[in-house]
Amino acid sequence: MNVLDRTAHRALAVAGLLALPCREAARVDPNRPLLASLLAGQCLGEGCLPPDLGLGAPTCRQLIDDYFTGFALPPCPRHTERVPEWSDLQKLLLDHRGGQRTSERWVADILATACTGADHLWQDLGLASRDELSRLMRVNFPSLAAANTGDMKWKKFLYRQFCAAEGIYVCPAPSCGVCKDYAKCFGPEQ
């Protein structure tokens, strides 16, 4: 399938998800279109998330029932192991959540789970673009999103924040601007 076909399939999947009934609170939640994109990616075989999105089956079912009533995630053979720092990443995210909606907790768990993947975080989540991930970060974790002033790649940024909070400094350079690996942390994510 070429890129245009994939983009068209994704757009149709997202539109189909957003056409499904949902609870009133979900209808006005800015996470709904972002979650629809994430689920569309899962349906297209993108991302690294397990079938329950890292939420556990009952919570995943609640999310789907609340936001996309009647939707059934396709069977997905993926399985991710929780990394030892999973709960620390989750805590970092929850410490910076906006406190506006219940879905922020779910998004924190999904993000922490996607950090186990080998690609860029937006790809591991099955989102369409890095812009969607940036929007997801601003909606759910505004203070954390605001702290990424250099537009560092999100997974690197989250780990950097986690390490700094733990007093772990693995970067040998005194600042990012003089680091020989600058391009690995900043710049386009294709």
Side-chain angles (χ1 to χ4, degrees):
M1 180 180 312
N2 67 38
V3 174
L4 290 176
D5 289 343
R6 196 160 205 72
T7 302
H9 280 101
R10 173 183 278 283
L12 285 172
V14 169
L17 283 160
L18 293 174
L20 290 171
C22 65
R23 297 195 187 278
E24 186 58 36
R27 185 177 327 285
V28 296
D29 187 340
N31 276 321
R32 189 166 190 253
L34 297 165
L35 291 167
S37 181
L38 185 146
L39 291 172
Q42 299 306 303
C43 291
L44 292 169
E46 298 172 354
C48 73
L49 294 170
D52 66 4
L53 308 176
L55 297 170
T59 303
C60 185
R61 186 74 256 154
Q62 181 184 355
L63 180 150
I64 289 171
D65 288 346
D66 288 356
Y67 284 73
F68 311 101
T69 307
F71 176 70
L73 267 170
C76 173
R78 283 185 239 135
H79 174 74
T80 56
E81 294 293 325
R82 283 204 173 164
V83 291
E85 65 274 11
W86 186 92
S87 41
D88 295 314
L89 288 167
Q90 180 211 39
K91 181 181 179 328
L92 170 72
L93 292 162
L94 291 175
D95 285 349
H96 291 276
R97 64 181 257 203
Q100 301 298 310
R101 55 199 66 83
T102 303
S103 60
E104 294 166 350
R105 298 186 71 72
W106 296 337
V107 171
D109 289 355
I110 294 168
L111 273 169
T113 302
C115 281
T116 65
D119 290 321
H120 295 296
L121 187 53
W122 67 270
Q123 292 168 321
D124 289 333
L125 287 163
L127 293 172
S129 67
R130 184 172 193 265
D131 288 340
E132 280 189 334
L133 174 56
S134 294
R135 190 166 53 252
L136 183 136
M137 294 298 292
R138 285 189 305 272
V139 164
N140 295 283
F141 317 105
S143 62
L144 201 56
N148 190 0
T149 58
D151 200 26
M152 182 180 264
K153 294 173 183 172
W154 283 110
K155 194 180 297 183
K156 289 189 178 289
F157 178 77
L158 291 173
Y159 271 91
R160 185 176 185 202
Q161 295 299 305
F162 160 66
C163 289
E166 294 296 313
I168 304 167
Y169 298 96
V170 294
C171 298
S175 73
C176 292
V178 298
C179 181
K180 65 181 173 73
D181 291 328
Y182 182 87
K184 291 179 183 176
C185 296
F186 299 89
E189 295 181 47
Q190 305 305 338

